[in-house]
Amino acid sequence: MNSITLEEKVEQWFVERNLHEANPVKQFEKLMEEVGELFEGIAKGRNELIYDALGDIQVVLIGLDQQIRNGAEIDATAQELELLLMVSSLGNLAQKLYKHVFHKETKQPLMLLHSTIHALALYNETSADDCLALAYQTIKHRKGKMIDGVFVKEEDLK
């Protein structure tokens, strides 16, 4: 008797919810959400977040692969296109950092996202400058300490 694999169970879950032919751009957005949770878990040293995110990332990737294999229509709004561009730029940035760490290949400036940040701010009826000002107001009196090269907010130290 053939037993169904966990991956096949996940694929069936997508089919049962009619997500197997949904727009892969939306699934990619979900992937980015889960990757953010992974990074949060790593930054905060919270294994339960890490484990949950790693499992969720696998589920999302299985669904994304299934959608693409099924020929799902891929469509994106202007804002989603900017988000895809931002993720692509972040990938390029990660690649440059990787090359620098392992091969000492780059000393180039790493800020590549200014125009994308400005566009995303406009899509959300604000400006990049206003968002930066808001972020600064949030951090200007923040206290914390460095742990393994990461600044940890005082409230997260408890």
Side-chain angles (χ1 to χ4, degrees), residues 22-35:
N23 185 354
V25 171
K26 300 295 185 187
Q27 191 70 1
F28 186 80
E29 289 172 6
K30 184 66 177 169
L31 177 63
M32 292 299 93
E33 178 184 334
E34 300 300 347
V35 168

Side-chain angles (χ1 to χ4, degrees), residues 109-122:
L110 298 175
M111 288 303 293
L112 311 167
L113 301 171
H114 293 299
S115 62
T116 300
I117 291 168
H118 283 278
L120 286 168
L122 289 174

Side-chain angles (χ1 to χ4, degrees), residues 34 49 72 83 87 99-100 105-106 111 124 127 130 156:
E34 300 300 347
L49 286 177
L83 288 170
V87 172
K99 285 180 180 180
H100 177 73
E105 284 188 16
T106 183
M111 288 303 293
N124 290 281
S127 72
D130 287 347
D156 288 341

